[in-house]
Amino acid sequence: MGVDTKKPEAVLSIEKMSKYYPVGQGFRSRQKLRALHEVDFEVGRGEVVALVGESGSGKSTIARQIMRLEQPDSGRILFEGQDVLKEEPRGASLSYRQKVQMIFQDPFGSLNPVHTIIHHLVRPLLRHGKCTKAQARGRALELLTEVGLEPAADFADRHPYELSGGQRQRVAIARALAVEPTLIVADEPTSMLDVSIRVGVLNLLERLRQQHRLSFIFITHDLASAYHLADRVLVLYAGQIVEEAPTAKLLSEPAHPYTRLLLAATPQASASIHQPLPATSGHPELVNPSPGCAFAPRCPLAMDQCRQSMPKAHLIGPDHRSRCHLHASETSHTGGPNASALIP
Ligand code: ATP
Ligand code: SF4
């Protein structure tokens, strides 16, 4: 949503990225579903940015565009200053594919059941020229040790089905690490794991971020996990970032009505919310959306203006932005009324 000179150097900048999917059949096929609309954000070096939102808000669509699995309709993706969309998706440079890695929700689905654990690590090491064939096994064992699979030799020659879900996710993390990435896109990496082992995997990601100065985009529908790991949280609703703030700020002073509802539904993260908004239901209009705020049909604070014009992202505090008409008067964090004071 903007540039702040105090932030770490940007590794990734997403500028006005939009993605619409054709839906329906026949005449209706001309209709488009709005998955992303003019999304802007940056990820700094060594920074963990969480993308939080309910199902269908566009989190995975952002991941697919960054990974070059799809082509956005418009907008730019700058990685270390280079416009990556200028290259055809299939021709995306080996360097970009190496520097931007992905960890998936389902660690079993992302590992090939017929191959051993060591194979999953040796392959990327050799493909990206990270070591010689003679060195590869030793390097792979180091990676297993680094992600906490010890003694590594006991895991190396097993197959994915012989490991637990948490252990498989650690292998997937080791595979991503093998090519020495700059940025890891982690799409719900702990949501399929038992609660008891989630924290271990989150702690591992935190340690790797510190040791390697890795940047992460951490996709989750769970604010409690974001709280554990993220420096900044971006809240997505109907393909737009509706609020952005440093994690502690977002959890202690959520401004956007949707964030407040989301927090109220996350007891571990919402202890500090004194005045939750009343629960609302309904779905955003993604096909032929109305011109106003996408959250208006569900918003307990909606005004006439909300149904007529799309709100802009307003700066309401240091690094804190809210896309809501309630905050239109707060053009600077040094002036205007307090954001939360506007919400009853
Ligand atoms: P979840 O948490 O369930 O994965 P999400 O926030 O990641 O949800 P996306 O998967 O990015 O959401 O989807 C955003 C919207 O785009 C949804 O309404 C989804 O149905 C729609 N969508 C995604 N891919 C396609 C597609 N290929 N064709 C049509 N619609 C799609
Ligand atoms: Fe609610 Fe209006 Fe703000 Fe949208 S712009 S979140 S409808 S108050």
Side-chain angles (χ1 to χ4, degrees):
M1 281 191 187
V3 179
D4 185 318
T5 50
K6 289 181 196 154
K7 284 184 195 159
E9 162 210 1
V11 167
L12 182 83
S13 303
I14 302 293
E15 295 180 356
K16 291 198 179 305
M17 188 163 76
S18 296
K19 180 73 183 175
Y20 286 71
Y21 294 107
V23 288
Q25 293 179 338
F27 171 73
R28 284 177 59 78
S29 68
R30 274 178 252 160
Q31 293 191 314
K32 298 259 176 125
L33 179 147
R34 184 179 82 186
L36 297 177
H37 182 73
E38 298 195 348
V39 167
D40 285 308
F41 68 94
E42 290 186 343
V43 183
R45 196 169 297 280
E47 189 182 31
V48 179
V49 172
L51 289 181
V52 178
E54 63 195 20
S55 183
S57 56
K59 306 181 297 293
S60 299
T61 303
I62 291 180
R64 288 194 297 274
Q65 315 311 302
I66 293 172
M67 297 312 297
R68 305 300 323 273
L69 300 173
E70 292 178 355
Q71 187 80 354
D73 296 333
S74 57
R76 295 206 305 167
I77 299 176
L78 300 176
F79 182 74
E80 295 181 332
Q82 300 292 313
D83 186 345
V84 302
L85 296 179
K86 283 193 171 157
E87 296 182 67
E88 288 300 312
R90 286 182 184 204
S93 70
L94 197 59
S95 156
Y96 183 72
R97 293 195 184 285
Q98 173 202 325
K99 287 181 174 173
V100 182
Q101 290 288 307
M102 185 150 182
I103 302 170
F104 296 91
Q105 181 178 31
D106 177 6
F108 199 56
S110 68
L111 301 176
N112 189 330
V114 303
H115 290 309
T116 58
I117 300 306
I118 198 98
H119 176 91
H120 285 88
L121 303 181
V122 164
R123 198 160 177 263
L125 283 169
L126 295 179
R127 181 160 185 258
H128 290 273
K130 292 296 170 190
C131 60
T132 65
K133 217 170 171 181
Q135 296 165 329
R137 186 176 173 89
R139 177 69 190 122
L141 293 176
E142 282 173 13
L143 286 162
L144 289 176
T145 304
E146 186 166 11
V147 298
L149 294 174
E150 296 175 277
D154 284 0
F155 289 93
D157 300 309
R158 292 198 220 167
H159 287 81
Y161 62 82
E162 297 176 87
L163 272 54
S164 69
Q167 290 170 337
R168 286 195 290 263
Q169 196 58 293
R170 286 173 190 263
V171 173
I173 293 168
R175 181 177 56 184
L177 276 186
V179 298
E180 299 168 21
T182 302
L183 170 70
I184 293 183
V185 179
D187 192 353
E188 304 265 14
T190 56
S191 63
M192 289 182 75
L193 305 181
D194 289 345
V195 175
S196 57
I197 48 179
R198 266 183 210 172
V199 173
V201 172
L202 290 173
N203 287 341
L204 169 64
L205 296 177
E206 172 59 24
R207 177 164 58 77
L208 295 174
R209 173 261 274 270
Q210 287 179 12
Q211 285 175 352
H212 299 276
R213 211 164 171 233
L214 272 170
S215 307
F216 280 92
I217 294 177
F218 179 62
I219 295 175
T220 179
H221 61 274
D222 170 24
L223 266 169
S225 298
Y227 178 62
H228 199 89
L229 194 64
D231 301 305
R232 252 179 334 126
V233 177
L234 314 182
V235 180
L236 268 181
Y237 187 79
Q240 289 185 306
I241 294 172
V242 296
E243 186 162 1
E244 169 182 353
T247 306
K249 188 78 171 173
L250 187 113
L251 296 181
S252 62
E253 294 177 41
H256 194 280
Y258 173 63
T259 312
R260 298 190 67 192
L261 287 174
L262 204 59
L263 271 164
T266 313
Q268 292 151 283
S270 65
S272 58
I273 308 299
H274 302 297
Q275 296 169 306
L277 293 175
T280 54
S281 60
H283 297 286
E285 297 167 357
L286 295 178
V287 179
N288 294 332
S290 55
C293 171
F295 191 54
R298 289 173 68 183
C299 182
L301 306 176
M303 310 166 283
D304 285 348
Q305 179 193 11
C306 303
R307 296 180 189 89
Q308 288 153 12
S309 65
M310 189 181 280
K312 291 183 181 148
H314 301 287
L315 186 67
I316 57 172
D319 296 331
H320 190 173
R321 290 171 177 79
S322 170
R323 186 179 286 279
C324 175
H325 287 309
L326 290 169
H327 305 123
S329 58
E330 297 173 70
T331 51
S332 159
H333 61 84
T334 55
N338 182 293
S340 52
L342 290 167
I343 297 177

